[in-house]
Amino acid sequence: MVQMLLVPLLATIVIEWGVLLFIGERRRKVLLASVVMNVLTNVPLNLYAVCVEFQGWSALIVGELLVVVVEALGYRMLLGDWQQASIYSLLCNAISFLTGELLVLIILLFTSY
């Protein structure tokens, strides 16, 4: 169970940190806040996904949207700018989510043979 939570969390932290660096964010407090926000949002979302029977894509999308909102609020408190906070949250989470889905597809493709 720990591995099922730790691997996605670490992957999310690395991906979102990379997104922030790619868009030019270098402030230590923002990068560290990203890690904290990911622990606070990724773990509960993955616990829900693991412990509750899969409810379909709509439940997953709602969960991801909640994460985007929570992290946007966190970035807003830190940055003081709604637009920048929303962009950070949306970009980080969209790229992280899509990268995760792509990795799952690749793993399924190579393990099905």
Side-chain angles (χ1 to χ4, degrees), residues 13-82:
I13 289 170
V14 168
I15 292 166
E16 293 193 16
W17 191 306
V19 170
L20 290 171
L21 291 173
F22 182 77
I23 62 177
E25 183 56 66
R26 299 290 188 267
R27 291 174 283 190
R28 182 181 167 106
K29 68 179 183 177
V30 175
L31 296 171
L32 292 176
S34 168
V35 173
V36 172
M37 286 187 288
N38 276 301
V39 170
L40 295 174
T41 58
N42 186 278
V43 173
L45 182 62
N46 284 319
L47 268 174
Y48 174 78
V50 168
C51 295
V52 176
E53 186 176 323
F54 184 68
Q55 301 292 321
W57 284 99
S58 59
L60 182 61
I61 301 286
V62 168
E64 289 291 339
L65 289 174
L66 285 171
V67 167
V68 169
V69 169
V70 168
E71 289 186 15
L73 289 168
Y75 283 122
R76 165 63 174 89
M77 290 183 346
L78 188 64
L79 302 170
D81 178 2
W82 273 114

Side-chain angles (χ1 to χ4, degrees), residues 81-95:
D81 178 2
W82 273 114
Q83 184 175 5
Q84 188 178 22
S86 298
I87 289 169
Y88 278 18
S89 181
L90 190 59
L91 268 178
C92 285
N93 284 288
I95 292 171

